[in-house]
């Protein structure tokens, strides 16, 4: 085992607006996001659960908790990457998401991988 193990999962998120599933007249805005996780630590780890905090422009907050991501609980060795895509539906054209993944390292250590806040927004159009 590593003398001083490190537990670091880097999280990157890319977002996009999904116009063909959105209905702005009905206050329905659909966004897709792709998450890339990278085990930058020294110990293999499994993603156990997720916790999202989704806030729309009206200040409405929705918390989502659940096992794994897209039905999986990926196990990543140091240096491994795991990518998945999912989506969110908001009542407003702009919102934010943030949260964390709860991880379990192979040595039994539990730790969180924070997801920094990111913005969901329809593309701006110039007239």
């Amino acid at each position: 085992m590593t003398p001083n193990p490190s537990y670091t999962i880097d999280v990157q998120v890319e977002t996009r607006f999904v116009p063909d599933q959105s209905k702005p007249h009905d206050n329905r805005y659909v966004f897709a996001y792709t998450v890339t996780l990278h085990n930058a630590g020294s110990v293999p780890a499994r993603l156990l659960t997720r916790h999202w905090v989704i806030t729309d422009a009206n200040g409405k907050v929705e918390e989502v908790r659940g096992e794994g991501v897209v039905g999986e609980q990926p196990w990543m060795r140091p240096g491994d990457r795991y990518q998945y895509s999912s989506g969110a539906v908001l009542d407003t054209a702009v919102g934010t998401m943030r949260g964390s993944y709860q991880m379990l390292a192979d040595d039994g250590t539990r730790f969180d991988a924070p997801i920094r806040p990111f913005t969901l927004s329809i593309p701006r159009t110039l007239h």
Side-chain angles (χ1 to χ4, degrees):
M1 215 56 224
T2 311
N4 291 311
S6 66
Y7 309 97
T8 306
I9 303 293
D10 290 331
V11 180
Q12 300 295 322
V13 183
E14 292 181 14
T15 66
R16 68 180 175 83
F17 177 59
V18 186
D20 58 328
Q21 292 181 27
S22 298
K23 293 185 172 68
H25 295 336
D26 295 332
N27 295 322
R28 177 183 163 87
Y29 298 87
V30 178
F31 298 92
Y33 57 89
T34 299
V35 177
T36 304
L37 297 108
H38 171 237
N39 187 345
S42 62
V43 181
R46 179 174 307 282
L47 188 158
L48 297 178
T49 61
R50 68 190 182 282
H51 175 220
W52 286 106
V53 179
I54 307 163
T55 307
D56 72 14
N58 295 327
K60 180 177 124 189
V61 177
E62 180 183 359
E63 290 199 51
V64 178
R65 295 176 189 270
E67 287 193 7
V69 290
V70 294
E72 297 183 14
Q73 291 182 313
W75 177 77
M76 296 177 290
R77 294 180 300 267
D80 281 357
R81 292 182 189 278
Y82 176 82
Q83 187 174 80
Y84 75 95
S85 294
S86 190
V89 180
L90 300 181
D91 294 338
T92 60
V94 178
T96 61
M97 289 180 65
R98 64 181 169 83
S100 62
Y101 298 113
Q102 293 68 52
M103 309 294 298
L104 176 62
D106 279 13
D107 66 5
T109 301
R110 290 178 179 264
F111 66 100
D112 282 351
I115 306 162
R116 290 188 303 275
F118 59 92
T119 301
L120 302 170
S121 174
I122 62 171
R124 300 289 178 233
T125 55
L126 298 175
H127 299 285

